[in-house]
Amino acid sequence: MAKPGKRVRAYRETVDSKKVYSVDEAVKLIKSNATAKFDETVEISMNLGVDPRHADQMVRGVVSLPNGTGRSLRVAVFAKDDKAEAAKAAGADVVGAEDLMERVQGGEIDFDRVIATPDMMPLVGRLGKVLGPKGLMPNPKVGTVTPDVEKAVKDAKGGAVQFRVEKAGIIHAGVGKASFGEAALEENIKAFIDAVNKAKPSGAKGTYIKKVSVSSTMGPGLRLDHAAAL
């Protein structure tokens, strides 16, 4: 088994794996140790006390991070006529209807978020087997099926992050870049935790948020004192 590199060893020396960090302590450590040759993403992982196999324990939603994600999303919109023009004006990267459906069916998926007007959903529904596994299927619960495509596009471009609990009860997402200022990262992390906390489903019993950790792309996870972040 290969030994960890010098950078990884140095990072481990600064991190106490048993410690529960405050958000500001964690952000300082992440920023000081994010020394990769690219701008690392700051990622959050939340272990929830839910079983998403039960409908009343599903956790999903969307949160507009106050300082954006630092990532440029490519947005596709299924719309026609005035709505299509509004989507283009708002900055959508790809706009169409039947023509866009054919592109997707042909394997041309060069976007990160899909928005649709309600009247387009019978068409978009035919793409469920393609878009669903990639987490791209529009859904009214997260604001991606809406008549207000202008707002939806601007939200997506401005840092709106969708979240959905996975089978093991885990949610994870990017909440910024290591190049962000400390205050900006702290605000984003707290906003994300708050949004997931408010999305607590009716069927959740016992402890809802069990564990929260943050890390940079190349760094180890730091456990957060999530109660203090709310």
Side-chain angles (χ1 to χ4, degrees):
M1 187 173 176
K3 288 184 178 180
K6 186 186 294 185
R7 191 175 70 85
V8 175
R9 291 200 305 273
Y11 196 164
R12 285 177 179 170
E13 287 172 6
T14 67
V15 172
D16 182 349
S17 61
K18 296 178 181 177
K19 181 175 177 176
V20 178
Y21 290 87
S22 65
V23 174
D24 61 320
E25 286 176 325
V27 165
K28 283 184 173 69
L29 266 177
I30 286 171
K31 283 182 62 64
S32 66
N33 287 287
T35 55
K37 294 179 180 178
F38 62 94
D39 193 4
E40 296 180 48
T41 297
V42 177
E43 299 166 352
I44 189 166
S45 177
M46 301 181 67
N47 292 58
L48 306 179
V50 298
D51 183 349
R53 291 175 298 180
H54 300 286
D56 66 347
Q57 294 187 50
M58 170 53 68
V59 181
R60 71 184 305 167
V62 62
V63 54
S64 288
L65 297 179
N67 302 290
T69 62
R71 180 177 170 224
S72 179
L73 283 185
R74 283 183 57 81
V75 178
V77 178
F78 283 88
K80 285 184 174 180
D81 305 324
D82 292 349
K83 299 294 185 184
E85 293 306 314
K88 290 174 185 174
D93 300 279
V94 187
V95 180
E98 285 82 0
D99 56 329
L100 181 52
M101 181 188 73
E102 290 172 5
R103 285 172 58 180
V104 173
Q105 286 176 329
E108 194 176 330
I109 303 175
D110 56 347
F111 41 79
D112 310 293
R113 182 76 49 84
V114 181
I115 294 163
T117 54
D119 61 301
M120 287 282 101
M121 284 312 292
L123 190 74
V124 179
R126 290 151 65 181
L127 299 171
K129 289 183 179 179
V130 181
L131 297 177
K134 297 181 181 294
L136 292 173
M137 196 66 185
N139 189 300
K141 290 183 179 179
V142 294
T144 49
V145 178
T146 174
D148 192 351
V149 290
E150 182 178 4
K151 180 180 184 299
V153 171
K154 288 180 177 177
D155 285 348
K157 291 283 189 178
V161 175
Q162 294 180 14
F163 57 85
R164 176 174 176 157
V165 69
E166 297 174 357
K167 288 180 181 178
I170 295 172
I171 281 177
H172 58 80
V175 289
K177 294 288 185 178
S179 60
F180 282 20
E182 289 179 14
L185 282 173
E186 288 174 29
E187 287 177 1
N188 279 4
I189 289 168
K190 289 177 180 178
F192 190 89
I193 294 172
D194 183 57
V196 173
N197 186 53
K198 287 177 177 174
K200 181 179 178 179
S202 59
K205 300 291 188 287
T207 303
Y208 173 51
I209 301 177
K210 290 185 171 182
K211 180 182 175 185
V212 180
S213 60
V214 289
S215 67
S216 63
T217 305
M218 305 297 288
L222 304 175
R223 187 168 179 179
L224 286 186
D225 178 4
H226 56 271
L230 291 169

